[in-house]
Amino acid sequence: MQPNPNQPHTLPPTYFDEVYRANEDPWNFETSAYEQEKYAATVAALPKPHYTSAFEIGCSLGVLTEQLAMHCGQLLAVDVAAAALAKARQRCAHLPQVEFQLLRVPEEFPVRQFDLIMVSEVGYYWSPEDLQMAREKILGAVRPGGHVVLVHWTPPVHDYPLTGDDVHDFFLSQVEPAGLFRHLNSQRAATYRLDVLERV
């Protein structure tokens, strides 16, 4: 089978390296009132007050990581950009329960089970094939009674392979039919969407 040149590809780590080289906070995670409101809504949507083991995919500068850690006994936070991870480590240096790793999901994925997996502003960077692989690995890594939280910007971005709605709809399309997860919560703001899934 010949590769389809029109098929969107996952954005490579070099894309993010260049973005962070040009701007230390390219999406204004540290200063944006919009981001702060979204982080507050994300944490408020957690169905449990505390999780023994959590996994955050695409932690960037660690702004959400720092807030999430207050609800976690252990938190593994990963990103593909070394510059972002360096700042995240500094931000969360006072939080011994947080572990950072340079990791490219879904090709690389921890061999662990988690009570919470956070997929925030990362899914639309994957190709459809990688999104499918990510969904399988993410849903397979959640303990019974655990949660997956999806939070994504919904307007299209010209160089992103997918939209936030694409990501959420793809996850939800197989969740309830398979019978292993139930859809607990759905929220839609003007420019982002939040969904919570629970492993039964």
Side-chain angles (χ1 to χ4, degrees), residues 8-20 27 79-81 104-105 107 125-127 130 159 161:
H9 298 285
T10 295
L11 297 183
T14 51
Y15 172 93
F16 300 97
D17 290 339
E18 292 170 4
V19 166
Y20 284 108
W27 290 282
D79 205 279
V80 298
R104 185 175 183 177
V105 176
E107 296 95 323
Y125 298 133
W126 292 322
S127 68
D130 280 347
D159 53 352

Side-chain angles (χ1 to χ4, degrees), residues 94-110:
H94 62 293
L95 298 168
Q97 71 269 43
V98 181
E99 173 191 357
F100 290 99
Q101 287 186 19
L102 185 68
L103 206 68
R104 185 175 183 177
V105 176
E107 296 95 323
E108 301 171 307
F109 203 90

Side-chain angles (χ1 to χ4, degrees), residues 114-167:
F114 301 95
D115 302 300
L116 172 67
I117 299 183
M118 179 67 64
V119 189
S120 174
E121 307 294 4
V122 65
Y124 41 56
Y125 298 133
W126 292 322
S127 68
E129 292 81 5
D130 280 347
L131 178 62
Q132 181 173 355
M133 185 190 310
R135 182 183 67 182
E136 291 172 0
K137 292 186 176 183
I138 289 166
L139 297 184
V142 182
R143 293 190 183 101
H147 298 108
V148 176
V149 178
L150 304 160
V151 189
H152 290 85
W153 173 265
T154 49
V157 179
H158 70 91
D159 53 352
Y160 293 0
L162 300 169
T163 67
D165 279 322
D166 291 336
V167 174

Side-chain angles (χ1 to χ4, degrees), residues 5 7 26 30 38 50 55 59 64 81 91 99-100 112 117 136 140 144 150-151 159 181 186 188 193 197:
Q7 183 69 33
E30 296 178 320
K38 186 184 67 178
H50 187 267
F55 179 33
C59 66
L64 177 59
R91 179 184 306 282
E99 173 191 357
F100 290 99
R112 305 188 201 175
I117 299 183
E136 291 172 0
L150 304 160
V151 189
D159 53 352
F181 283 79
S186 184
R188 182 179 287 275
R193 176 176 174 180
L197 314 177

Side-chain angles (χ1 to χ4, degrees), residues 24-51:
E24 288 188 350
D25 186 6
W27 290 282
N28 299 315
F29 292 142
E30 296 178 320
T31 58
S32 164
Y34 161 80
E35 293 293 344
Q36 294 307 314
E37 183 277 331
K38 186 184 67 178
Y39 293 148
T42 300
V43 172
L46 295 176
K48 296 180 180 178
H50 187 267
Y51 292 87

